[in-house]
């Protein structure tokens, strides 16, 4: 470490600062996912065909995944140029303002086509915010980590995903369980979006107290800064961008099949109540959260790349048994299916942030890690729920499983051919 480097952040401050930000961002992101299935089809996309309304609603859900690489490019540029701290604060505010605005939107019955247009604009803002948040939060953790514990440090921002999902699903469960359907559709659904403002204020305060990472300060002092990080990535790190993106695809496919697709399938096809579907999902998220730290410990012992290969191969096998559980008609087997899927999600999600960050040097790391992760989101998640619904409707659940297995095979191949070089921190 250079003698002129700034003092390091405390361990507690670093890990809590990275965790709280991603928790808020994913809470905001997932309350939209729940509302896209349970509320928006009726309020923003009314029609005689419920399936069409759901697909239109899920189309707005996918907008955020196309916005996320834009957020990655913009926030990544400034994160690599001026620092991680300021960029993270602005990304959090972008997400928060977009989310709270959804809580004030009028319905289709009030303003017609303007309502879904405003909804899409807000969803775009959510995507830009999360696209800038994720990479910075991961770097905040791992650039303060000792080399032998990078995956362990890097899993803390990853825990924000299951915690955010638990908070969002729990909020919707509480509201649907304590309010009439009429009141929930009238105003109750707005409460989570408006309440997000309180979480954003907490995250904003914590983020302001964090100092810049030592790795970034050292690179800046050594004048290693690149003029335009995005162009540097395209010039020197095309292979890392390409194969890193496809290495992360499975992470997105398995997650959105286990959440958005399954929430729709359980309520519309298996005829579970909203309460039953949300309870099963929330229970399975506990397995997601539990296996993130487990995967991080293993990844620090055997390597991040090897851990992801094993996890992706297991997901490929899991996809072959997709219909066995869901066609059973058994609540226990459906719940078991969700728990298995979320456990595998934890195995792949825990080390993915550290792995992608290690593909790039400090000067382009924010941009590189963010872009690979969020480009994978477009390929693996933007249309995954819609594709799965269409496949299940036209070809059956077996082929939804094959879709998941195919994505996992692509990730395994990408992980096998990608560079094994880890850049200095």
């Amino acid at each position: 470490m250079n003698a002129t480097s700034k003092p390091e952040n405390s361990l507690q401050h670093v890990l809590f600062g990275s965790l709280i930000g991603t928790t808020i961002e994913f809470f905001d992101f997932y309350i939209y996912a729940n509302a896209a299935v349970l509320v928006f089809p009726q309020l923003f996309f009314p029609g005689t065909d419920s399936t069409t309304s759901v697909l239109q609603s899920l189309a707005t859900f996918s907008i955020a995944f196309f916005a996320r690489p834009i957020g990655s490019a913009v926030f990544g540029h400034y994160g690599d140029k001026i620092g991680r701290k300021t960029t993270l604060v602005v990304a959090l505010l972008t997400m928060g303002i977009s989310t709270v605005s959804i809580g004030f939107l009028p319905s289709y019955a009030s303003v017609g086509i303007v309502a879904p247009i405003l909804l899409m604009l807000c969803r775009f803002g959510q995507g830009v915010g999360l696209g800038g948040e994720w990479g910075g939060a991961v770097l905040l953790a791992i650039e303060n980590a000792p080399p032998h514990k990078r995956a362990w440090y890097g899993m803390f921002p990853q825990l924000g995903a299951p915690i955010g999902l638990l908070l969002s699903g729990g909020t919707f469960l509480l509201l649907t369980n304590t309010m009439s359907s009429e009141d929930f559709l009238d105003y109750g659904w707005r409460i989570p979006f408006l309440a997000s403002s309180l979480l954003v204020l907490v995250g904003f305060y914590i983020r302001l107290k964090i100092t810049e990472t030592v790795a970034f300060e050292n690179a800046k002092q050594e004048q290693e800064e690149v003029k335009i990080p995005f162009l540097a990535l395209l010039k020197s790190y095309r292979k890392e961008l390409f194969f890193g993106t496809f290495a992360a695809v499975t992470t997105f496919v398995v997650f959105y099949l286990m959440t958005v697709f399954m929430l729709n399938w359980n309520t519309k096809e298996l005829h579970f109540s909203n309460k039953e579907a949300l309870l099963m999902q929330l229970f399975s998220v506990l397995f997601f959260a539990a296996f993130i730290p487990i995967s991080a410990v293993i990844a620090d012992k055997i390597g991040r790349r090897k851990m992801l290969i094993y996890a992706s191969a297991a997901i490929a096998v899991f996809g072959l048994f997709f219909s066995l559980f869901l066609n059973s008609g058994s609540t226990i087997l459906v719940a078991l299916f969700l728990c298995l899927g979320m456990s595998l999600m934890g195995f792949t999600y825990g080390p993915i942030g550290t792995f992608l960050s290690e593909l790039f040097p400090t000067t382009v790391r924010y941009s590189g890690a963010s872009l690979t992760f969020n480009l994978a989101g477009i390929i693996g998640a933007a249309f995954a729920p819609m594709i799965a619904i269409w496949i299940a409707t036209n070809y059956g659940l077996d082929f939804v499983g094959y879709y998941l297995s195919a994505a996992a095979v692509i990730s395994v191949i990408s992980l096998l051919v990608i560079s094994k070089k880890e850049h200095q921190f």
Side-chain angles (χ1 to χ4, degrees):
M1 185 186 303
N2 293 348
T4 55
S5 294
K6 292 183 179 179
E8 294 185 43
N9 295 295
S10 70
L11 173 62
Q12 295 82 357
H13 207 165
V14 166
L15 299 183
F16 186 63
S18 63
L19 174 61
I20 189 67
T22 52
T23 296
I24 294 166
E25 296 274 359
F26 281 110
F27 171 78
D28 289 358
F29 204 71
Y30 294 149
I31 55 176
Y32 191 102
N34 285 323
V37 173
L38 303 176
V39 178
F40 294 160
Q42 298 97 303
L43 295 186
F44 291 91
F45 305 96
T48 55
D49 185 352
S50 61
T51 301
T52 300
S53 295
V54 170
L55 289 174
Q56 289 173 338
S57 178
L58 290 178
T60 67
F61 172 78
S62 70
I63 288 173
F65 292 97
F66 291 92
R68 282 169 71 162
I70 296 175
S72 299
V74 174
F75 288 110
H77 174 85
Y78 290 104
D80 285 327
K81 295 282 286 184
I82 66 175
R84 297 13 176 164
K85 173 186 173 178
T86 302
T87 308
L88 279 169
V89 170
V90 178
L92 183 64
L93 289 177
T94 301
M95 182 66 149
I97 292 170
S98 301
T99 302
V100 173
S101 297
I102 294 174
F104 290 104
L105 292 182
S107 67
Y108 187 93
S110 300
V111 296
I113 193 65
V114 175
I117 291 174
L118 291 175
L119 182 66
M120 288 187 284
L121 287 174
C122 291
R123 183 59 173 169
F124 183 86
Q126 281 192 316
V128 170
L130 187 56
E133 160 70 27
W134 180 84
V138 170
L139 296 193
L140 177 65
I142 66 173
E143 286 186 347
N144 283 284
H148 63 286
K149 286 191 175 181
R150 280 202 203 116
W152 178 255
Y153 275 55
M155 71 89 185
F156 276 87
Q158 302 297 75
L159 279 175
I163 295 173
L165 187 55
L166 283 169
L167 290 174
S168 62
T171 301
F172 271 90
L173 178 62
L174 177 65
L175 291 172
T176 56
N177 204 35
T178 56
M179 303 177 73
S180 67
S181 298
E182 294 77 16
D183 287 342
F184 178 70
L185 285 175
D186 183 29
Y187 66 88
W189 67 271
R190 300 179 186 273
I191 295 174
F193 292 93
L194 299 177
S196 172
S197 60
L198 300 177
L199 294 175
V200 170
L201 289 175
V202 174
F204 181 71
Y205 171 76
I206 293 170
R207 284 282 170 82
L208 285 177
K209 293 174 69 66
I210 293 173
T211 60
E212 193 54 76
T213 69
V214 173
F216 177 81
E217 289 292 343
N218 288 346
K220 189 174 181 180
Q221 290 167 11
E222 293 167 9
Q223 297 182 327
E224 295 178 358
E225 181 182 294
V226 297
K227 189 173 183 180
I228 304 178
F230 180 72
L231 293 181
L233 283 171
L234 295 181
K235 180 181 178 181
S236 304
Y237 300 98
R238 289 189 297 270
K239 181 178 179 181
E240 287 81 359
L241 278 174
F242 181 82
F243 289 111
T245 294
F246 283 98
V249 160
T250 302
T251 302
F252 284 93
V253 176
V254 69
F255 181 75
Y256 285 98
L257 290 187
M258 292 300 105
T259 53
V260 180
F261 170 74
M262 283 302 301
L263 186 60
N264 178 76
W265 190 262
N266 282 341
T267 54
K268 302 297 190 298
E269 303 298 329
L270 299 183
H271 305 295
F272 291 115
S273 66
N274 288 348
K275 177 182 177 181
E276 291 170 330
L278 285 169
L279 278 173
M280 283 192 289
Q281 186 179 88
L282 289 175
F283 181 69
S284 70
V285 172
L286 298 177
F287 289 81
F288 177 22
F291 280 94
I292 287 177
I294 292 172
S295 69
V297 171
I298 298 173
D300 276 331
K301 290 183 180 298
I302 69 172
R304 273 67 80 178
R305 179 171 166 272
K306 189 176 291 185
M307 178 70 232
L308 288 170
I309 290 173
Y310 292 156
S312 298
I315 291 170
V317 175
F318 174 72
L320 301 179
F321 297 92
F322 210 89
S323 65
L324 177 67
F325 293 89
L326 299 187
N327 284 332
S328 66
S330 166
T331 302
I332 293 175
L333 287 180
V334 172
L336 177 61
F337 171 80
L338 283 168
C339 292
L340 287 173
M342 282 300 203
S343 298
L344 291 171
M345 175 61 192
F347 270 122
T348 184
Y349 195 65
I352 193 70
T354 306
F355 172 76
L356 295 178
S357 299
E358 289 174 336
L359 295 177
F360 306 96
T362 304
T363 51
V364 295
R365 185 172 292 134
Y366 200 135
S367 300
S370 297
L371 277 170
T372 50
F373 186 75
N374 290 307
L375 287 173
I378 291 180
I379 299 170
F383 299 110
M386 289 186 292
I387 291 172
I389 290 172
W390 182 83
I391 291 174
T393 302
N394 291 279
Y395 298 99
L397 284 171
D398 281 325
F399 285 86
V400 178
Y402 301 154
Y403 166 52
L404 174 60
S405 296
V409 170
I410 290 172
S411 289
V412 169
I413 293 172
S414 299
L415 288 161
L416 288 172
V417 301
I418 204 167
S419 171
K420 298 180 182 180
K421 179 181 178 182
E422 292 181 6
H423 290 276
Q424 286 295 113
F425 277 68

